[in-house]
Structure formats: C-alpha cells, structure tokens
Amino acid sequence: LTGNDYFVLPPSGDLYSYPGEMPSDMQASFVTNTELDCTLLNTSATVHWEWFGTWTRAIDNFLPQYAPNNIVRGIFPVNVPFLFPMLQGHWGVDEYYHILTSEDGSG
C-alpha cells in the first residue's frame, strides 16, 4: 500500500454473505472482523448485500452495529437481485442515501 490508495470492501464486508440474515452473535463477530479489515486496508466503506425483502431488518438491527466504533462510515447497498428497487428499509423512492445511527441515536 502506498498510503494514497483507497479501498471499499466487497459485499458484504468481511465475507461474501448476507450478514443481516445471521444470528446476532455471528453479526457481532462479523462487524468486528469487517472493522479489522477496514483498519488493515485503510478504508471506511463497504458494499453491502441484502435480499430485496430483508433491508428493513438489516437497517434496523444489523447496520447500526457499525456506528459505535466509527470505523465503517460508508455503506453502499446492493439489492439482491440487483434489478429490484430499494423501496424497503426506510428508503424512499427518491432517496439515494440514508444516514444510519446507533440505538442511542449517536453515529
């Protein structure tokens, strides 16, 4: 690494997976591992996959787990299958980004 390189982690961070579908203990480990990957590669962003019908659960329960350590600060959502619009999980028809906060409202 040159110190000038920038990376975005692939779907969905530490593994090619759907972490919103994982049990909560596995999600916590996944978040920790993704944060370690970000630190190693000097990045703060990841692409995130979810099935088109599971975004609400992922946005409400999984993604806020990244907020406390402020390491993962950018999440690029990709719907699976990708041709379906992002209309679930607090996304409006004309909404192109969404600010995530932790359960205590920080983040």
Side-chain angles (χ1 to χ4, degrees), residues 12-83:
S12 278
D14 187 55
L15 299 170
Y16 282 92
S17 62
Y18 302 94
E21 297 293 302
M22 296 176 182
S24 59
D25 59 328
M26 289 179 74
Q27 286 181 352
S29 294
F30 187 89
V31 166
T32 298
N33 290 338
T34 298
E35 289 174 338
L36 290 171
D37 296 338
C38 282
T39 302
L40 176 68
L41 294 171
N42 191 32
T43 190
S44 58
T46 183
V47 173
H48 186 82
W49 277 347
E50 286 294 336
W51 289 102
F52 68 95
T54 62
W55 279 103
T56 298
R57 186 171 59 239
I59 289 172
D60 289 346
N61 301 319
F62 173 70
L63 295 174
Q65 294 180 54
Y66 287 119
N69 294 327
N70 201 30
I71 295 172
V72 176
R73 295 187 308 272
I75 298 169
F76 298 88
V78 176
N79 225 4
V80 177
F82 69 91
L83 294 176

